[in-house]
Amino acid sequence: MTQEHAQGWPTGGSGEMFRLIAALPDQLEASADLEGLPAIAPPEAPFSRILLCGMGGSAIAGDLVQPLLEHQPVSLDVWRDYGLPHWANRQTLILVASYSGNTEESLSALVEARRRGCPVLGISSGGRLQKAAEGEGGAPFALVTLPGGLPPRASLGYGLGALVRVLGRLGLVSDVEQEMAEAVAVLRRLNPVRLWPVGTEFLDQATAVCPADPAGMVGAAELAAQLVNAVPVLYTAGLEARGAGVRLKGQINENSKAPVCLGVFPELNHNDLVGWELSAADRGRFVLLILAGKLDNERIEARVRITRELLRGEFPVIHGILASGERPLARVLSLVQYGDYLSCHLARLKNVDPVPVERIGRLKDQLENL
């Protein structure tokens, strides 16, 4: 991190979240040394599928790695629920991901996996999941240990890095180090672009301004200003953008304390497209953001282009958020990084603290008392 960055963080929870977002490439790099990785090896019995069981910030890594597995013989599905789907069996590798190690849905998946005799790996910073990995309540299993003490959504670099490296050790992701190296380089290059708004009040030096975004997009801070009094509508185009869209929705929900609408091409063309028959009074309440990675399907490109034209009268503002990088992981994470900064700039402009998630805490408290 440059000295200019270190001098200019905003104060309070907003500054803390900006620091954590800027640390994404550092976390990715540090994931190479996570405790437990050297012990990861393919199970003795071959597996036909991988199921990542997790919620929120712990589950999103499973969505974001999909482009790396596109041409692999083994698929990875993400399970955001209690227990396991009916098809999970002894040939299904269960990855239990819980940053705290205490997520009740994920722990219930672990219990069911043990009951069915599924092979299990864990990714966590501790808690009950770590105790289970040590053999409490059943047979021990391998656990990749993440650094603790962070909001789960701000530990993405560790959690995603751990998952990619686990998949590499299982022989399912090739060129892991090259993927990581380019992702780290792209994120570090874009960090100052997406952190500092033009004419920023964050810095003391009057000459420090945001450089132009290399993709030609509106700056994250400038886009946040357009969302302060509007509801974001996210459309994702292509596999690389799909997980990034889920991530951005969650980040705006948690960091900005704001609602979001989410749709995916081409499915949105069969339903969501028709829902935007807005009255004149409502047309200023929504901003359309289209997230796009590498598009290999010309029909998706055509659908995006035509959809923009069909909805131009409903949305006064339509922006494209485009991926950067040569490799899939870099492109996916460039979208994630932009969205993370966007959510934090929006929180700053709305004068809300991005760190606390009080309603989630109250929900957990009430569930524990049932």
Side-chain angles (χ1 to χ4, degrees):
M1 187 179 302
T2 67
Q3 184 63 28
E4 288 80 6
H5 289 194
Q7 291 175 348
W9 297 112
T11 58
S14 182
E16 177 63 17
M17 191 58 73
F18 272 112
R19 278 190 289 273
L20 291 170
I21 294 171
L24 177 58
D26 300 332
Q27 290 186 10
L28 279 177
E29 205 167 51
S31 70
D33 300 318
L34 291 174
E35 181 182 347
L37 270 177
I40 303 298
E44 294 180 3
F47 54 86
S48 58
R49 300 175 76 167
I50 301 174
L51 184 66
L52 187 145
C53 302
M55 306 298 296
S58 297
I60 192 62
D63 299 306
L64 298 174
V65 300
Q66 294 299 326
L68 302 181
L69 299 170
E70 193 172 8
H71 303 295
Q72 294 296 331
V74 177
S75 64
L76 184 149
D77 297 287
V78 181
W79 181 250
R80 293 175 167 90
D81 209 333
Y82 291 90
L84 294 175
H86 69 89
W87 48 260
N89 56 32
R90 292 175 182 268
Q91 286 73 52
T92 307
L93 175 62
I94 305 298
L95 290 177
V96 183
S98 169
Y99 180 72
S100 69
N102 297 316
T103 307
E104 67 173 49
E105 298 95 330
S106 305
L107 291 172
S108 78
L110 172 62
V111 170
E112 183 63 15
R114 282 173 154 173
R115 189 187 73 80
R116 298 188 196 183
C118 304
V120 175
L121 295 175
I123 299 175
S124 179
S125 69
R128 293 167 61 189
L129 184 56
Q130 182 174 15
K131 292 179 180 178
E134 295 167 351
E136 185 177 292
F141 54 88
L143 179 77
V144 179
T145 304
L146 311 179
L150 300 172
R153 63 192 183 277
S155 67
L156 177 65
Y158 292 123
L160 178 63
L163 178 59
V164 172
R165 294 180 191 282
V166 165
L167 294 174
R169 296 185 73 85
L170 295 177
L172 297 176
V173 173
S174 58
D175 301 328
V176 168
E177 294 309 319
Q178 291 89 336
E179 289 280 354
M180 287 286 186
E182 198 215 346
V184 167
V186 167
L187 293 176
R188 283 181 174 157
R189 173 171 56 85
L190 293 176
N191 246 338
V193 175
R194 285 154 183 188
L195 172 58
W196 309 122
V198 174
T200 177
E201 68 273 25
F202 291 178
L203 294 177
D204 294 330
Q205 297 95 338
T207 57
V209 296
C210 175
D213 192 295
M217 295 184 293
V218 63
E222 286 70 40
L223 179 53
Q226 299 177 32
L227 297 177
V228 172
N229 297 309
V231 176
V233 178
L234 307 180
Y235 283 176
T236 68
L239 182 60
E240 293 176 352
R242 199 166 297 169
V246 176
R247 167 73 174 186
L248 179 50
K249 177 187 181 298
Q251 289 293 82
I252 292 177
N253 293 157
E254 294 191 58
N255 290 341
S256 316
K257 315 299 190 280
V260 179
C261 303
L262 177 64
V264 178
F265 283 102
E267 172 64 18
L268 67 87
N269 285 152
H270 297 265
N271 37 63
D272 200 273
L273 179 65
V274 186
W276 296 105
E277 299 276 346
L278 299 175
S279 66
D282 286 335
R283 282 178 187 154
R285 296 179 54 213
F286 301 91
V287 172
L288 178 59
L289 311 178
I290 302 177
L291 280 66
K294 183 179 180 181
L295 296 181
D296 294 322
N297 189 321
E298 62 182 19
R299 299 298 292 177
I300 295 294
E301 292 187 49
R303 285 178 178 274
V304 172
R305 183 178 66 254
I306 296 169
T307 298
R308 289 186 69 144
E309 291 304 314
L310 289 173
L311 294 179
R312 195 167 296 279
E314 308 293 339
F315 293 94
V317 179
I318 300 177
H319 286 295
I321 300 176
L322 310 176
S324 298
E326 298 299 320
R327 289 177 174 269
L329 186 62
R331 291 194 293 267
V332 168
L333 289 178
S334 71
L335 293 173
V336 167
Q337 180 197 56
Y338 184 98
D340 284 4
Y341 275 129
L342 173 63
S343 71
C344 211
H345 283 301
L346 182 56
R348 177 180 60 85
L349 294 172
K350 286 166 58 70
N351 198 30
V352 299
D353 188 337
V355 176
V357 283
E358 294 177 0
R359 281 187 178 169
I360 295 176
R362 293 203 299 270
L363 170 69
K364 290 181 178 179
D365 289 342
Q366 292 184 44
L367 287 170
E368 287 181 3
N369 293 326
L370 290 178

